[in-house]
Amino acid sequence: MFVFSKLVWIFGQPLSLAFAFLLVALLTGLLRWRALSLGSSTLAALILFVTLYTTVGNYLLQGLEERFPKPQDPQELQCMIVLGGGFENEVNTARHGIEMNAGGDRFIEALRLARKYPQSRILVSGGDGSMSGVYEGDAVMSGRFFPLFGVPKERLVEETTSRTTFENAANTKDLLAASGLSDCLLITSGYHMPRSVGIFRKLGIGVVPWPTDYRTDGRERLGLDFTQPSRNAQNLATAIREWFGLVGYYMVGRTSELYPG
């Protein structure tokens, strides 16, 4: 399932699809199948235009982010679960540093809460999600990250083997039971929260959704945008990937709802 999901995404993301249609257009053009060549090149151009020069991706991502509004800080906090995806694992493994990617807000928010609630425990779930499996995961990185800011490693519970969101939840369930923790905050990116909550609910793990790492301002509308094609492309890819996960997990029974909210 893990390898299959990786392969589906490699070939299913918008720019890969555009390249595939361009390749088909080239091959069918050489074979003088003009109608098929024209149709394939038109589809490739359409995909590229929507990906680069419209707000479709931003709008889809915003919908995911709005499913679970972040509540006010609680009076007390026993524990929090931080899903991996915030560290540059390949770079950190090679350079032995603590470099963050766009999802690093997950750990910044966890650090803020850890300092505000010094009695709370922090369960970080995240192994190496690459196909090679040779890199340090987010849980290992967190053991270096939090102590740098005065949060002792003894407060951490490290889940180092998960590669997918489903494995995050399944492995976390056992660790929560072993540590006597329940009803923790679930910290992950806003767009990732619907799928994450759906999986945790399916497994009977009670959590309080705590979204972070927002990519949109909450006021996105469908339209054209020629000013930031790279951002548009990235957000569309992220939104489509998340919807692949929502649909796929629902079809195989890993969530009980298609679009948890």
Side-chain angles (χ1 to χ4, degrees):
M1 185 68 180
F2 170 71
V3 175
F4 176 74
S5 65
K6 290 288 187 181
L7 292 175
V8 167
W9 179 238
I10 288 173
F11 297 106
Q13 54 189 297
L15 295 182
S16 293
L17 284 176
F19 176 78
F21 280 119
L22 283 174
L23 188 60
V24 170
L26 176 61
L27 293 175
T28 53
L30 292 174
L31 294 171
R32 298 188 179 182
W33 297 347
R34 293 190 176 123
L36 186 54
S37 179
L38 178 60
S40 296
S41 59
T42 300
L43 278 174
L46 181 61
I47 292 172
L48 285 173
F49 183 81
V50 171
T51 300
L52 298 172
Y53 302 119
T54 74
T55 61
V56 170
N58 305 330
Y59 187 76
L60 291 175
L61 205 62
Q62 177 177 267
L64 291 164
E65 291 180 339
E66 296 298 310
R67 293 295 283 179
F68 289 92
K70 182 186 291 185
Q72 297 293 319
D73 284 3
Q75 292 293 326
E76 297 181 354
L77 180 62
Q78 178 192 32
C79 58
M80 64 190 89
I81 301 166
V82 189
L83 300 188
F87 291 107
E88 289 287 355
N89 293 335
E90 295 181 24
V91 175
N92 291 332
T93 301
R95 297 183 179 275
H96 309 291
I98 307 178
E99 303 296 333
M100 291 183 167
N101 57 33
D105 286 353
R106 304 180 188 189
F107 288 89
I108 299 301
E109 179 67 2
L111 177 61
R112 181 186 75 83
L113 292 168
R115 291 172 65 89
K116 182 175 182 178
Y117 303 98
Q119 78 286 355
S120 62
R121 301 289 303 279
I122 310 152
L123 191 157
V124 180
S125 178
D128 179 11
S130 70
M131 293 183 69
S132 65
V134 299
Y135 304 111
E136 295 177 334
D138 284 51
V140 174
M141 300 293 178
S142 68
R144 300 203 297 265
F145 171 76
F146 284 103
L148 289 176
F149 299 93
V151 178
K153 191 172 182 179
E154 290 72 25
R155 290 176 60 187
L156 301 179
V157 180
E158 299 176 19
E159 188 285 294
T160 62
T161 61
S162 60
R163 303 167 298 171
T164 66
T165 307
F166 179 79
E167 291 179 0
N168 284 148
N171 296 346
T172 292
K173 184 176 184 178
D174 296 334
L175 286 176
L176 289 174
S179 302
L181 302 174
S182 62
D183 299 315
C184 304
L185 301 188
L186 178 61
I187 301 175
T188 190
S189 302
Y191 69 84
H192 187 235
M193 190 60 74
R195 181 158 58 105
S196 302
V197 169
I199 297 168
F200 275 77
R201 285 177 179 171
K202 181 72 173 182
L203 294 176
I205 307 171
V207 292
V208 177
W210 201 266
T212 187
D213 176 34
Y214 290 98
R215 310 290 175 91
T216 68
D217 61 10
R219 296 174 292 178
E220 296 286 350
R221 297 291 183 269
L222 290 174
L224 301 177
D225 180 11
F226 296 98
T227 64
Q228 43 193 357
S230 59
R231 174 178 179 264
N232 295 336
Q234 180 61 58
N235 283 351
L236 180 60
T238 300
I240 290 177
R241 182 175 187 176
E242 201 56 36
W243 270 105
F244 275 5
L246 282 165
V247 173
Y249 276 23
Y250 180 72
M251 290 179 65
V252 300
R254 289 185 169 179
T255 62
S256 55
E257 302 170 87
L258 176 61
Y259 196 20

